[in-house]
Amino acid sequence: MFKRFQKATVTIMAALCMLSLLAGIFGCAKKTDIRDIVSFKFTYQTGNAMNADIRYGVTVDENGITASIKPDGADEDSTVTVAVSREFLDELESVLLRYDVGRWNGFNGNNKIVLDGKSFYMGLTTASGDSLEAHGYARYPSNFAEVRQELDRLFMALIQQ
């Protein structure tokens, strides 16, 4: 009876170790609660030519809330920085919550058979110190296209006014 118990214990421990190892290999990370963002960065490529990327950022500090936008095809010096309201930040958080972007935390997609693919990066930090980081090359987390479209709408409206 004791040997059977001992064997079962060893089997359970081995299974738990294997699950822990697999979680580490596949980049499982804690879901991030996206509330009270203090910094945000989202970039993605639109092609393979020079300046074929879009970059959005938000910074919250003692001076207020600022957003930055580097449009597609523009060089780094063409980045536009504008002051935004708390409502803009609330809408950003609403988009990220609606599409459950907190689950992207730790995403590291890489399609190794694609040679001329596009990539993306998202990083954010909240006032409580939580952070999210996700990136991919020719591989994207769920709802990526919808999130990108919403962020394009939200940020590009700032420079089309």
Side-chain angles (χ1 to χ4, degrees), residues 57-74:
V58 173
T59 304
V60 179
D61 60 24
E62 64 278 353
N63 298 320
I65 307 169
T66 55
S68 61
I69 303 101
K70 189 212 101 34
D72 189 28

Side-chain angles (χ1 to χ4, degrees), residues 69-71 74-81:
I69 303 101
K70 189 212 101 34
D75 64 11
E76 194 69 34
D77 293 336
S78 299
T79 299
V80 176
T81 302

Side-chain angles (χ1 to χ4, degrees), residues 52-158:
D53 65 327
I54 293 176
R55 300 179 196 170
Y56 302 133
V58 173
T59 304
V60 179
D61 60 24
E62 64 278 353
N63 298 320
I65 307 169
T66 55
S68 61
I69 303 101
K70 189 212 101 34
D72 189 28
D75 64 11
E76 194 69 34
D77 293 336
S78 299
T79 299
V80 176
T81 302
V82 295
V84 294
S85 66
R86 179 67 210 185
E87 288 77 25
F88 176 88
L89 191 59
D90 290 343
E91 190 171 351
L92 171 61
E93 290 176 2
S94 175
V95 167
L96 300 177
L97 289 167
R98 182 178 325 122
Y99 292 103
D100 207 14
V101 172
R103 292 194 182 278
W104 291 13
N105 193 21
F107 182 86
N108 182 18
N110 184 3
N111 189 336
K112 294 180 183 188
I113 63 171
V114 175
L115 299 177
D116 287 330
K118 297 176 184 141
S119 62
F120 86 95
Y121 170 82
M122 181 183 285
L124 65 84
T125 306
T126 66
S128 65
D130 289 337
S131 63
L132 175 142
E133 196 163 4
H135 48 88
Y137 173 78
R139 186 160 289 156
Y140 305 93
S142 60
N143 299 321
F144 178 81
E146 294 86 354
V147 171
R148 185 186 70 206
Q149 184 177 9
E150 291 275 354
L151 294 177
D152 286 343
R153 177 192 57 77
L154 184 63
F155 280 87
M156 295 308 285
L158 295 173

Side-chain angles (χ1 to χ4, degrees), residues 28-47:
C28 295
K30 177 185 161 216
K31 178 181 173 181
T32 300
D33 183 28
I34 301 174
R35 298 187 197 287
D36 298 321
I37 292 173
V38 294
S39 70
F40 173 81
K41 182 176 182 183
F42 180 65
T43 67
Y44 67 93
Q45 290 180 309
T46 59

